[in-house]
């Protein structure tokens, strides 16, 4: 179904197609905990043949803890090395005003879209969810990918409410990180009208109909993720599950383990985290 443009947005603004493996990049740091541009270049160029888009500065990129300069440097470095692939900048902020400020900066840095979680701290509920995204989409010059989660926001899982968010002009996709295959299937049954990307490795093959996958394993084994997404086969899911166990991707500090492996491979210069 054609989607109208919000007031003030150019109708010709290109919108990235969201499908396949989208990688939520770690944020490589040097010894002074500045973004290491060389590491970003190696990481992005190595992933480029296997992924359809890059998603820096989200939770795997320690987005909640990045300083403004770290955030901007990471987005800038990703854009510089993306080789034409869309860059979807994560904005881990809980209120619409700061989100819109960051979205303006993302546009200046050359990002193609912003990825925005529900409002937090907790307590907004489903009406607050729709109001939040209505304000964000109305004010952002970049398209918006909804980062659907409830661990931080505490927003109840409600497929109808999320489908209403998807119908807002300016929303171009959903990173569906509820952790529930049943919820993902319910959302798809609502025909949200935008691509739904599975946000958990253990669910890649569980819900036919998703357009793609976004998860930290894509930093390390994007080809394995792509095979599971293409096949929806149990054997490929078992391969994904084994790798998740090997790299501790369901630990609270999963991004630390991803960085340790990338540093061991020589892809990034240090395994340092932001905190």
């Amino acid at each position: 179904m054609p989607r109208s443009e919000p007031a003030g947005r150019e109708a010709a603004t290109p919108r990235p197609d969201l499908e396949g493996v989208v990688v939520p990049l770690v944020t490589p740091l040097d010894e002074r905990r500045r973004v290491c541009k060389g590491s970003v270049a190696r990481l992005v160029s190595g992933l480029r043949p296997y992924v359809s888009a890059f998603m820096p500065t989200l939770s795997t990129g320690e987005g909640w803890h990045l300083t403004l300069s770290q955030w901007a440097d990471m987005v800038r470095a990703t854009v510089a090395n993306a080789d034409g692939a869309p860059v979807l900048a994560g904005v881990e902020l809980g209120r619409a005003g700061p989100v819109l400020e960051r979205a303006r900066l993302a546009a200046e840095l050359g990002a193609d879209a912003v990825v925005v979680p529900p409002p937090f701290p907790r307590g907004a509920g489903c009406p607050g969810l729709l109001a939040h995204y209505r304000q964000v989409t109305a004010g952002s010059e970049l398209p918006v990918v909804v980062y659907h989660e409830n661990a931080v926001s505490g927003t109840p899982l409600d497929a109808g409410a999320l489908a209403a968010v998807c119908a807002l002009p300016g929303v171009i996709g959903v990173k569906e990180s509820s952790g529930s295959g049943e919820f993902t299937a319910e959302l798809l049954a609502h025909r949200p009208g935008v691509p739904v990307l599975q946000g958990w490795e253990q669910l890649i093959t569980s819900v036919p109909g998703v357009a793609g996958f976004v998860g930290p394993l894509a930093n390390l084994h994007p080809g394995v993720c792509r095979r599971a997404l293409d096949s929806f086969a149990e054997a490929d899911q078992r391969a994904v599950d084994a790798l998740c166990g090997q790299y501790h991707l369901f630990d609270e500090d999963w991004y630390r383990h991803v960085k340790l492996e990338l540093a061991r491979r020589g892809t990034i210069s240090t395994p340092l985290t932001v905190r």
Side-chain angles (χ1 to χ4, degrees):
M1 178 182 298
R3 300 172 62 80
S4 60
E5 296 286 341
R9 181 177 292 142
E10 294 292 337
T13 299
R15 295 181 171 216
D17 294 326
L18 299 183
E19 62 178 5
V21 174
V22 177
V23 56
L25 294 168
V26 297
T27 301
L29 303 176
D30 64 17
E31 291 80 1
R32 297 177 63 182
R33 282 189 164 81
R34 300 172 302 189
V35 171
C36 179
K37 296 178 183 177
S39 295
V40 176
R42 288 190 297 274
L43 177 61
V44 170
S45 64
L47 293 170
R48 181 65 185 94
Y50 306 97
V51 305
S52 58
F54 297 100
M55 196 175 281
T57 65
L58 210 60
S59 52
T60 296
E62 303 169 83
W64 282 295
H65 300 310
L66 297 174
T67 66
L68 179 57
S69 61
Q70 287 172 328
W71 183 92
D73 286 346
M74 184 60 194
V75 173
R76 184 183 294 109
T78 305
V79 170
N81 292 282
D83 189 30
V87 175
L88 319 170
V91 180
E92 300 275 25
L93 300 171
R95 291 290 177 260
V99 168
L100 289 172
E101 291 178 5
R102 198 64 62 88
R104 283 191 286 273
L105 178 54
E108 293 172 6
L109 294 171
D112 298 281
V114 287
V115 188
V116 180
F120 58 86
R122 295 168 178 258
C126 292
L129 181 78
L130 184 57
H132 175 71
Y133 284 108
R134 184 178 286 124
Q135 186 175 353
V136 168
T137 55
S140 174
E141 65 184 88
L142 289 178
V144 174
V145 177
V146 176
Y147 176 18
H148 179 244
E149 61 79 41
N150 69 340
V152 174
S153 67
T155 302
L157 296 181
D158 185 309
L162 183 54
V165 169
C166 292
L168 292 172
V171 172
I172 60 167
V174 181
K175 180 184 185 292
E176 208 297 274
S177 297
S178 68
S180 166
E182 292 79 8
F183 181 89
T184 307
E186 185 180 357
L187 174 62
L188 289 170
H190 277 79
R191 299 183 182 276
V194 297
V196 176
L197 309 177
Q198 179 55 255
W200 284 91
E201 281 85 352
Q202 78 273 25
L203 298 175
I204 291 177
T205 67
S206 67
V207 188
V210 295
F213 162 71
V214 184
L217 184 61
N219 285 273
L220 301 172
H221 291 282
V224 174
C225 297
R226 182 74 219 201
R227 283 195 296 275
L229 185 62
D230 288 344
S231 72
F232 283 91
E234 289 184 10
D236 289 323
Q237 182 66 63
R238 287 195 297 270
V240 168
D241 294 343
L243 290 169
C244 289
Q246 178 180 342
Y247 298 118
H248 306 281
L249 294 189
F250 299 129
D251 289 5
E252 289 188 0
D253 60 348
W254 75 96
Y255 51 88
R256 185 184 305 273
H257 298 286
V258 176
K259 284 187 164 183
L260 284 167
E261 175 60 17
L262 288 171
R264 186 194 68 78
R265 296 180 184 183
T267 304
I268 63 177
S269 59
T270 81
L272 290 175
T273 57
V274 176
R275 291 188 177 181

